Amino acid sequence: MLLSIKEMEVRKVRFDETFQPGEIDFSGAGVRQSGPIHVDGEAELLANTDGEVRIKGHLGGKMESECDRCLAIATFPLDCGFDLFYRPSESLSVEEEVAIDEGEAEMGFYAGAGIELEEILREQVMLLLPMQRVCTSDCKGICPVCGRNRNESSCDCRVAAADDRWSALRKISQG
Ligand SMILES: [Zn+2]
Ligand SMILES: [Zn+2]
């Protein structure tokens, strides 16, 4: 769905859409949709700006990937509000582009007739996913020695050094 700038010039554009798995391109991201993603909200052209657009709303759904530790399926429920600002990319001068690289990361850009809702969703979903994608926070992972999934059965392999590092990491991530 294109959030049209022309339409925003007349009124706020409201959206209320559901995307089935496959409708948004998550290829190459290592994740997939495990159910519909629902998004609703509104897009508004801000008065007295150089074509700045504010898009706010809420998204909900469910993603899944392989667990980083044990390769089983890890699921990630999404339920989050967003409030985003976009500027037309042609309004940028070279100096501004440099400044934005350094500090204004929250500002997005659009070119042409508007902003694709699918693009926004893809970006927001990727931001919401945790860096460490694990099936459960205490996933024991796969034994590096015998290859057994240690959530299912334990083994007697000695991997003391690695274990210490993992438990330290775990403490940080639970922090
Ligand atoms: Zn796991
Ligand atoms: Zn083992």
Side-chain angles (χ1 to χ4, degrees):
M1 178 190 182
L2 180 77
L3 301 170
S4 154
I5 303 299
K6 272 225 147 44
E7 196 180 339
M8 287 179 218
E9 283 168 0
V10 184
R11 66 180 89 80
K12 285 184 186 176
V13 175
R14 290 183 201 287
F15 51 89
D16 189 343
E17 299 280 318
T18 301
F19 295 93
Q20 299 301 327
E23 290 186 73
I24 301 172
D25 183 15
F26 287 106
S27 58
V31 290
R32 51 193 175 265
Q33 259 180 267
S34 54
I37 289 181
H38 178 253
V39 61
D40 58 60
E42 59 185 29
E44 175 185 10
L45 191 63
L46 298 176
N48 307 316
T49 65
D50 194 10
E52 203 170 308
V53 171
R54 180 180 193 176
I55 300 174
K56 56 181 175 176
H58 176 268
L59 74 90
K62 213 192 255 181
M63 301 294 291
E64 64 181 27
S65 75
E66 277 179 353
C67 172
D68 287 346
R69 292 184 203 153
C70 76
L71 306 181
I73 300 244
T75 59
F76 309 101
L78 307 171
D79 181 8
C80 191
F82 55 86
D83 189 356
L84 308 166
F85 293 85
Y86 291 85
R87 284 165 67 184
S89 51
E90 56 265 35
S91 73
L92 281 183
S93 64
V94 175
E95 304 93 82
E96 274 184 308
E97 271 181 51
V98 173
I100 281 157
D101 274 350
E102 284 162 4
E104 220 181 322
E106 301 85 1
M107 181 71 74
F109 298 94
Y110 68 88
I115 304 157
E116 289 288 347
L117 187 57
E118 288 87 339
E119 277 298 307
I120 299 173
L121 274 181
R122 187 181 195 283
E123 252 177 55
Q124 291 305 302
V125 167
M126 295 313 293
L127 285 173
L128 285 170
L129 291 174
M131 291 291 284
Q132 201 179 29
R133 295 172 191 162
V134 291
C135 59
T136 57
S137 61
D138 60 353
C139 171
K140 298 188 191 78
I142 286 174
C143 171
V145 178
C146 70
R148 194 175 296 185
N149 183 339
R150 291 190 288 200
N151 299 309
E152 289 163 5
S153 56
S154 54
C155 57
D156 298 321
C157 303
R158 289 188 167 272
V159 279
D163 272 350
D164 287 343
R165 275 206 303 276
W166 277 118
S167 61
L169 267 179
R170 227 169 277 151
K171 268 177 206 132
I172 293 166
S173 66
Q174 283 168 359

